[in-house]
Amino acid sequence: MMTKFRAKLDSVLISGAHAGYWAGATVFSSFLVTFLIENGYTESQIGLIVTFMSLFNLISQPFWGYLADAKWDIKAVTLICMGMSIPVVLFLPLLLRSTLLLTIGCIIASCFENPVKGLLDSITNISEEKNRYIVYGIARGCGSFFSAIASLLAGNFLYKYGINWAFVIHGVLAGFALICLIAFSGKGYPENKDIRRNVSRKKDMTLKRAVRELSGNRLFLAVFVSTVLLNIGLKAGLTFTPVMINNFGGNSSHNGYSMAVNTIGMLPMMVLYSWLYRKKKINNAVIYLWACLFTVIRIASLAMVNSLWPLIFVQIINSLSYGFLQPAMIESIRQTTPLYLRSTAITLVTGVYLAIASVTGDYLAGVLIEHVGIKTMFGLCTILAILGTIAYLPVLRAANGGKQNYE
């Protein structure tokens, strides 16, 4: 019997899983760039490594999501990915002398590390419908809040003791997330208010059929295209802000400050999203468009700064952008896809937008920086973000007409 105390404990545990995972993932992803810079890698090489990591995620993320939907328990799949990422990431510094081996190691780490993003989002989204004490905005916001704290503390620590410790810090934080997720039950409360719609699994569903069904969903495709275009500039900003900090005379400590400012406001913004959407009944599509506006401003701001501290200061805009965009995007997927495809849909969007955003926002952005400069590159990314806003309009029209497929 699921008690009220256990239901509340589950809400704490899923928030803890987000906190540990995102804190560790942020330390790994942000300081991986610094690690490569300090060991002589160029912007193009960094962009290429990150691009390969995301390209392989194009396969691995939907694959793990499909297994969670159609074959295995989603919690078990998430634990496998999270557990395997810890030793693989710890092993990366030993591969530094070979660019090829380091790239392969980063790819393998990414294929376990990055799918957890979509899987955790999916677990939280489904559990939110079963357990009234679980709120996605709070759980995911805890991930952003503690990633900000981890970035701030890790930046100073790594500046004093060496960048290689980033991989150990990742292991400790991911280990904490692993323990929280193991203890998480995922049961419904009250038990008579379990998921009502599309609850049955389709055991005969293949990955090909799942992708085909999603590809024929017009509103889901609108969310997908919009997310891809918006995240190109966001991904470029995440990857090349450490490069800009280095060019402006900063170090890993300043990178920690930057990441902390970047994410510190996401928790209140995600809580605000939940209040606006659930209490004030503001249309999710409208909030998504607000997020689009903040995203355009955030990317454009990176084309305008000329020194270190203004660069760090404008990172706060990302809290307004991502703090609304992430929960609004997950809710848009929920509204446009059936439950039996939910994990596949979320991991597919996450995997593909990371892959495409990395090809354009990492590798091609790195090439553009070397040839035309960083301001021009972010100017082009701003245009793509505007197009991403336009791409979402069919979802807004459908929402205003009450035509979301799975409301």
Side-chain angles (χ1 to χ4, degrees):
M1 181 71 178
M2 186 71 165
T3 64
K4 183 177 180 180
F5 172 79
R6 189 64 176 88
K8 289 183 176 180
L9 179 60
D10 261 8
S11 71
V12 174
L13 290 171
I14 196 64
S15 295
H18 276 277
Y21 168 74
W22 280 102
T26 300
V27 169
F28 170 56
S29 61
S30 60
F31 291 104
L32 174 64
V33 174
T34 306
F35 170 77
L36 295 174
I37 291 172
E38 290 188 2
N39 285 280
Y41 284 77
T42 66
E43 286 89 345
S44 295
Q45 288 175 315
I46 294 170
L48 190 61
I49 290 174
V50 177
T51 297
F52 275 124
M53 291 168 68
S54 294
L55 282 175
F56 277 85
N57 276 317
L58 183 60
I59 300 172
S60 67
Q61 294 215 46
F63 170 75
W64 289 114
Y66 162 72
L67 286 182
D69 275 332
K71 302 297 180 182
W72 299 344
D73 178 73
I74 186 172
K75 177 180 172 180
V77 173
T78 310
L79 288 173
I80 290 171
C81 290
M82 196 180 292
M84 288 300 297
S85 72
I86 297 173
V88 175
V89 170
L90 280 172
F91 192 70
L92 290 180
L94 301 178
L95 307 175
L96 184 60
R97 292 186 179 182
S98 170
T99 303
L100 176 61
L101 289 179
L102 181 63
T103 302
I104 293 173
C106 287
I107 289 171
I108 296 173
S110 182
C111 286
F112 287 116
E113 169 99 359
N114 280 320
V116 177
K117 298 175 182 178
L119 292 168
L120 264 184
D121 281 340
S122 184
I123 289 175
T124 310
N125 180 264
I126 294 171
S127 299
E128 185 179 33
E129 297 185 29
K130 297 193 294 182
N131 183 342
R132 62 189 176 93
Y133 292 109
I134 294 176
V135 178
Y136 175 83
I138 294 176
R140 180 62 183 82
C142 284
S144 297
F145 178 76
F146 283 98
S147 71
I149 295 176
S151 296
L152 182 62
L153 297 178
N156 288 301
F157 181 88
L158 298 174
Y159 179 65
K160 291 180 180 179
Y161 299 104
I163 196 68
N164 284 20
W165 279 97
F167 305 98
V168 177
I169 294 173
H170 166 272
V172 172
L173 294 170
F176 172 77
L178 195 69
I179 293 171
C180 288
L181 191 58
I182 290 172
F184 176 72
S185 76
K187 296 180 179 179
Y189 182 84
E191 292 186 354
N192 63 346
K193 291 186 178 180
D194 209 331
I195 295 177
R196 299 182 299 276
R197 305 180 312 276
N198 304 299
V199 69
S200 60
R201 282 186 170 191
K202 290 195 173 183
K203 293 291 186 180
D204 60 339
M205 178 68 71
T206 64
L207 181 57
K208 183 178 179 179
R209 286 180 58 191
V211 173
R212 185 187 300 126
E213 182 170 336
L214 291 171
S215 299
N217 185 328
R218 183 177 63 87
L219 294 181
F220 170 77
L221 288 179
V223 177
F224 170 77
V225 172
S226 175
T227 303
V228 169
L229 292 174
L230 289 167
N231 275 279
I232 289 173
L234 293 178
K235 191 68 172 63
L238 183 63
T239 299
F240 290 105
T241 293
V243 176
M244 295 173 70
I245 289 173
N246 186 67
N247 292 339
F248 290 151
N251 52 46
S252 60
S253 179
H254 294 100
N255 189 33
Y257 297 147
S258 174
M259 288 303 301
V261 173
N262 185 293
T263 54
I264 193 67
M266 289 184 187
L267 175 57
M269 288 302 103
M270 289 185 181
V271 172
L272 178 60
Y273 164 85
S274 296
W275 181 74
L276 291 171
Y277 177 60
R278 301 193 180 281
K279 299 295 184 182
K280 293 300 181 179
K281 305 300 181 182
I282 295 178
N283 195 311
N284 178 72
V286 172
I287 302 177
Y288 186 100
L289 288 180
W290 295 352
C292 290
L293 174 62
F294 293 133
T295 300
V296 170
I297 296 172
R298 188 273 188 285
I299 299 170
S301 71
L302 295 175
M304 300 177 185
V305 294
N306 294 302
S307 57
L308 179 61
W309 288 107
L311 171 62
I312 293 175
F313 176 76
V314 300
Q315 301 303 314
I316 192 63
I317 303 173
N318 199 52
S319 292
L320 296 170
S321 169
Y322 198 80
F324 282 146
L325 183 62
Q326 178 66 17
M329 182 266 288
I330 295 296
E331 180 61 21
S332 293
I333 295 175
R334 188 191 73 81
Q335 292 177 358
T336 58
T337 58
L339 183 61
Y340 62 82
L341 286 176
R342 189 70 49 77
S343 297
T344 305
I346 292 175
T347 52
L348 181 65
V349 170
T350 305
V352 174
Y353 90 60
L354 279 175
I356 296 176
S358 286
V359 171
T360 53
D362 288 334
Y363 178 65
L364 293 181
V367 174
L368 281 173
I369 289 171
E370 293 182 356
H371 288 84
V372 298
I374 203 161
K375 291 182 179 293
T376 301
M377 184 273 292
F378 279 120
L380 294 172
C381 289
T382 302
I383 295 173
L384 293 177
I386 294 172
L387 294 176
T389 304
I390 296 171
Y392 188 77
L393 294 181
V395 182
L396 178 64
R397 287 195 295 268
N400 287 336
K403 296 179 181 179
Q404 296 106 319
N405 290 349
Y406 299 96
E407 268 288 274

